[in-house]
Amino acid sequence: MAIGLEGIGVSAWLVWILPFAGAAVIAGVAKAGHRVRDYTAVGFALASAISAATLIPLALDIEEVHSQVPWISSLGLKAGVLADPLAIVMANLVGWISFLIMVYSTGYMHGDRDLTRYWFFMLFFIGSMQLIVLSDNLLMVFFGWEGVGLASYALIGFWYYDRKKDYVGAEGHIAGGIAMWASPTHAGLKAFLMTRAGDTMMLAGMFLIFMHAGTFGFKELLEDTAWATTMAQQNLLVPAAILLFGGAIGKSAQFPLNEWLLEAMTGPTAVSALIHAATMVKAGVFLVARIGPLFFALGAAGAFSMEEFFEVVAWVGAITAFLLATQALVNPEIKKVLAYSTGSQIGYMMMGLGIAGLSLNFVDGYTSGFFHMMSHAMFKASLFMGAGALLHAVGSRFMTDMGGLRKPMKKTYIFVLLASLSLAGAPLFTSGFWSKDAIFASVLESGYTYSWPLFGMAVVVAVMTAFYTFRMIGMSFFGKKSRHLEEMEKKGHHLHDVTASMWVPFAILAVASIAIGVVGFVFEAQIHHLFTEYLAESFGIHGEEEEGGPAIHILPEGDRTYFGLNPIAAAASVGAFAIGAALGFLFYIVRKADPTAIGRNIITRAIWKFLYNRWYLNTALYWGGVIGPLAIFRFIWRYFESTIIDGVNPAFQQSMTFMSRVVKGGQTGITQTYLFVFGVGIMIVVMLLLL
């Protein structure tokens, strides 16, 4: 239903306005006291989440709120919110996870001298993300898009004093002449610049569409499809869609714009949880979930193919998932392992959303990608907060400085283990298993020409995910205490669990990921039903032809014959977990094999070094994007600017000075001289005329 700023529409607006309002007043509230300031920040986050929760009945009834107000009248543009089932589910996911992270922050950030600035940017971050989710047009989305970019820059570089303890990477680690560690200010700047590359592509795609459609509105773009047909005839529609996807590549840290995500770990762990779980990197996935059905429906209605766009999405996701999972196998920093994992799992989500457009059944791939985003948001936020608890207790980001922590930190161990099992995809009782299995099944049943290579990559990534997850658990909680911990205890530092304000938020999310896993089959079916109805209602993507208009024909459920499961996909999911978990258990928990043995073989050592050096992609980025261009600019300055330009300018100046002197020599100021020169001139002219 389309309404103005009234009724339930107010709730949709408040979801993103409240965090911005909180950010606006937090500095003033801070003058009333630190506790009032902290409670106010958390309160605004809670109010936003409650506003999102009031919209849930609309989603369950497959209804929507489309509320608009005047904005840029000269261009005929209105500002609006579109609270449809997709946006409502996402807004609640963002709202409630962000609220838990804010609660966690009260303990994790307690005593920080810049906490007012922290609350400002956290609320600004949440508001910007909710603006992305609920906007009804691409231009408003872009405002939120840049908002999360600004907030991420400020929060990644939050500890701008650049103390050594706030760095990421092992100091002294060099790859190809490039330092592989980074300070907070450097990491923030790197994130800002790399995501801007994607944002530039997105802006180009937006205005390319606006030039032909005359609107940015999602509803308006679908109502009149003539613009899409025109663009398709000019071979511009697919490039415009891919340019929009370029924004998602940057924000969601997909290949080749993935390198910023790893240095983003310089920010406080609560920031990492927010960026990697509920906001920022999920913004790209949500954008694809928003525009994917639009382009699919446009292609079907206009009888042209958008397959190239969906292929790019699927393969970028698959490559990223594999690339970052391999690097997580060898990294010693717990937050960086989780960062690699985030980029890899987002690759899974992109694969699911991409395969939807290449599939015989769009709903299956679409549901699987979005379901995995929901699942990942919960267990990854829990894992980052759990990692923050470990850092808080141990004072080190390196897992080699941990070990044996399951006894002194029992609560953290239990809930990190539960969340880790979801990440690893433990069969049947974790949400991660069901969402990954849904992606595997959608790839297998897609009918896409290259579905088997995609499926093979997905399974290999699942094996690696289970392995590095158990490696992380083993290095952190099992084995003997590290020398670092022993020295801490000798100095009188007693290892203990974190306060309730820290462990309760990640416990809630860990338990939720298991609870959804226990009813995973039913939960997936409900999500599938919700999105089936949503896609049919909003985009005309129906299960069968309907009278009264061109419907998009989608074949029914494929060959999920055993309790709704694809047997090959289910077997692959279980097998991948079993292989990866068994290897991780053998090497890092019971320690029956020595992982350092890899360094004794020249081949395995070379592979380890290649992965540890991040496939030398970071090195290539700096040589190609920083060092190389600077060398060219220095060459130009030295041999062109300094030699030619700086040489030409003085020569030109000196020649003008000489000419001035010549002219001045003829200006004596004596009348007789001028008459003489004038007479000589006349004689010369007469002689020339007589010749």
Side-chain angles (χ1 to χ4, degrees):
M1 53 183 171
I3 60 176
L5 195 58
E6 59 190 38
I8 193 67
V10 174
S11 293
W13 286 92
L14 287 177
V15 172
W16 65 268
I17 290 176
L18 282 170
F20 282 132
V25 304
I26 199 67
V29 172
K31 295 180 179 179
H34 291 174
R35 183 169 294 183
V36 175
R37 174 199 61 193
D38 298 348
Y39 289 164
T40 300
V42 175
F44 272 101
L46 176 61
S48 174
I50 292 173
S51 297
T54 62
L55 301 172
I56 292 177
L58 290 175
L60 296 178
D61 292 336
I62 320 298
E63 295 182 3
E64 66 181 35
V65 169
H66 187 201
S67 175
Q68 292 183 315
V69 295
W71 189 19
I72 307 176
S73 57
S74 59
L75 295 177
L77 299 179
K78 293 182 178 180
V81 292
L82 178 59
D84 56 10
L86 173 70
I88 292 170
V89 172
M90 188 68 183
N92 277 277
L93 198 67
V94 172
W96 289 105
I97 291 178
S98 298
F99 164 67
L100 290 174
I101 293 171
M102 294 288 275
V103 173
Y104 173 86
S105 296
T106 61
Y108 187 82
M109 297 297 291
H110 179 71
D112 194 289
R113 63 179 178 177
D114 294 322
L115 200 49
T116 300
R117 176 164 56 89
Y118 174 83
W119 290 129
F120 171 83
F121 279 112
M122 289 289 276
L123 287 167
F124 187 85
F125 208 145
I126 296 169
S128 297
M129 183 63 194
Q130 294 288 30
L131 178 59
I132 292 172
V133 171
L134 288 162
S135 294
D136 76 334
N137 64 83
L138 282 168
L139 189 58
M140 283 182 66
V141 166
F142 194 74
F143 275 93
W145 203 262
E146 294 306 294
V148 295
L150 173 62
S152 68
Y153 164 73
L155 289 169
I156 290 169
F158 179 75
W159 285 315
Y160 61 87
Y161 313 105
D162 285 350
R163 297 166 296 192
K164 293 291 184 182
K165 71 183 187 67
D166 298 325
Y167 279 40
V168 294
E171 190 172 354
H173 177 202
I174 304 291
I178 302 299
M180 302 295 279
W181 71 95
S183 67
T185 53
H186 181 91
L189 186 61
K190 183 176 181 179
F192 188 79
L193 291 176
M194 289 196 71
T195 53
R196 292 293 78 71
D199 295 356
T200 303
M201 295 173 64
M202 179 180 174
L203 199 61
M206 285 170 47
F207 282 104
L208 192 59
I209 290 173
F210 181 77
M211 185 173 68
H212 289 83
T215 181
F216 292 108
F218 298 120
K219 287 286 187 182
E220 292 81 357
L221 289 172
L222 190 61
E223 287 172 0
D224 182 4
T225 62
W227 65 272
T229 303
T230 302
M231 290 186 71
Q233 291 171 349
Q234 297 174 359
N235 295 319
L236 289 175
L237 187 59
V238 170
I242 292 174
L243 283 170
L244 284 177
F245 179 58
I249 290 175
K251 276 290 186 287
S252 292
Q254 299 294 281
F255 178 80
L257 299 177
N258 57 282
E259 287 300 317
W260 69 266
L261 190 67
L262 313 174
E263 272 76 21
M265 297 300 98
T266 55
T269 304
V271 171
S272 302
L274 193 65
I275 291 177
H276 290 250
T279 63
M280 184 75 170
V281 293
K282 293 298 194 301
V285 181
F286 179 79
L287 178 66
V288 177
R290 174 62 84 192
I291 65 174
L294 173 66
F295 285 122
F296 186 81
L298 289 172
F304 51 80
S305 174
M306 291 298 294
E307 184 172 308
E308 294 90 345
F309 165 68
F310 289 103
E311 276 191 307
V312 170
V313 174
W315 280 104
V316 165
I319 292 168
T320 306
F322 180 81
L323 179 72
L324 295 186
T326 60
Q327 297 175 51
L329 298 174
V330 300
N331 201 277
E333 296 177 63
I334 188 167
K335 285 177 67 177
K336 288 190 78 170
V337 169
L338 293 174
Y340 285 120
S341 173
T342 294
S344 180
Q345 296 302 304
I346 288 175
Y348 267 139
M349 301 168 207
M350 293 296 188
M351 188 191 303
L353 294 173
I355 206 68
L358 304 169
S359 177
L360 300 174
N361 192 326
F362 185 90
V363 179
D364 278 0
Y366 190 81
T367 301
S368 69
F370 199 85
F371 182 24
H372 195 55
M373 180 170 66
M374 296 171 63
S375 173
H376 180 266
M378 289 184 290
F379 65 67
K380 187 53 66 68
S382 180
L383 282 171
F384 266 110
M385 288 189 278
L390 291 173
L391 268 64
H392 197 77
V394 175
S396 173
R397 62 186 182 272
F398 292 96
M399 292 184 288
T400 49
D401 288 334
M402 300 178 189
L405 290 173
R406 70 184 186 279
K407 292 181 180 179
M409 301 184 70
K410 290 181 181 178
K411 295 185 183 73
T412 300
Y413 165 65
I414 290 170
F415 297 119
V416 168
L417 178 63
L418 292 178
S420 296
L421 289 173
S422 278
L423 172 60
L428 302 179
F429 69 93
T430 64
S431 60
F433 168 79
W434 293 103
S435 56
K436 282 183 188 176
D437 177 75
I439 292 174
F440 288 3
S442 63
V443 172
L444 278 177
E445 298 169 8
S446 65
Y448 174 51
T449 305
Y450 302 106
S451 61
W452 279 102
L454 274 178
F455 178 72
M457 291 181 70
V459 173
V460 171
V461 170
V463 173
M464 291 190 287
T465 302
F467 175 79
Y468 67 66
T469 302
F470 275 79
R471 172 179 176 265
M472 178 185 70
I473 293 294
M475 292 181 71
S476 302
F477 294 103
F478 287 83
K480 296 179 180 180
K481 292 180 180 178
S482 66
R483 183 179 299 176
H484 172 76
L485 294 180
E486 291 175 350
E487 290 177 354
M488 286 179 61
E489 291 182 331
K490 286 179 182 178
K491 294 177 182 178
H493 181 83
H494 176 65
L495 289 171
H496 57 83
D497 237 321
V498 292
T499 60
S501 63
M502 289 179 65
W503 70 260
V504 169
F506 65 79
I508 291 172
L509 292 172
V511 171
S513 68
I514 297 298
I516 291 176
V518 171
V519 295
F521 178 72
V522 176
F523 187 83
E524 182 187 354
Q526 291 299 317
I527 292 294
H528 192 280
H529 171 73
L530 176 69
F531 283 121
T532 298
E533 296 294 324
Y534 161 67
L535 292 169
E537 183 72 23
S538 299
F539 299 97
I541 301 178
H542 300 289
E544 56 187 32
E545 297 287 351
E546 292 184 353
E547 295 182 1
I552 300 170
H553 184 64
I554 302 296
L555 294 180
E557 276 277 329
D559 59 350
R560 300 188 186 187
T561 54
Y562 296 92
F563 303 101
L565 292 174
N566 182 299
I568 299 176
S573 299
V574 174
F577 172 79
I579 295 170
L583 290 172
F585 187 81
L586 178 68
F587 279 100
Y588 292 100
I589 294 182
V590 296
R591 316 228 172 184
K592 295 295 184 182
D594 183 10
T596 61
I598 194 171
R600 299 169 193 161
N601 183 288
I602 189 172
I603 296 176
T604 54
R605 173 68 182 176
I607 295 173
W608 180 91
K609 184 177 180 181
F610 179 72
L611 298 180
Y612 184 58
N613 288 335
R614 292 156 56 171
W615 288 49
Y616 293 92
L617 292 174
N618 193 57
T619 302
L621 170 69
Y622 277 89
W623 279 103
V626 181
I627 298 174
L630 284 177
I632 294 172
F633 296 152
R634 290 191 187 102
F635 179 86
I636 292 172
W637 177 83
R638 181 175 180 181
Y639 295 103
F640 182 76
E641 185 77 21
S642 181
T643 304
I644 299 176
I645 300 300
D646 289 351
V648 167
N649 286 341
F652 183 75
Q653 178 185 354
Q654 290 169 8
S655 64
M656 291 298 102
T657 302
F658 176 76
M659 293 292 294
S660 175
R661 288 173 182 169
V662 171
V663 173
K664 284 173 65 179
Q667 304 298 315
T668 63
I670 302 172
T671 305
Q672 290 86 340
T673 303
Y674 296 153
L675 290 172
F676 174 76
V677 172
F678 181 68
V680 171
I682 291 176
M683 290 176 62
I684 293 172
V685 171
V686 171
M687 291 175 65
L688 289 173
L689 291 174
L690 293 175
L691 291 176

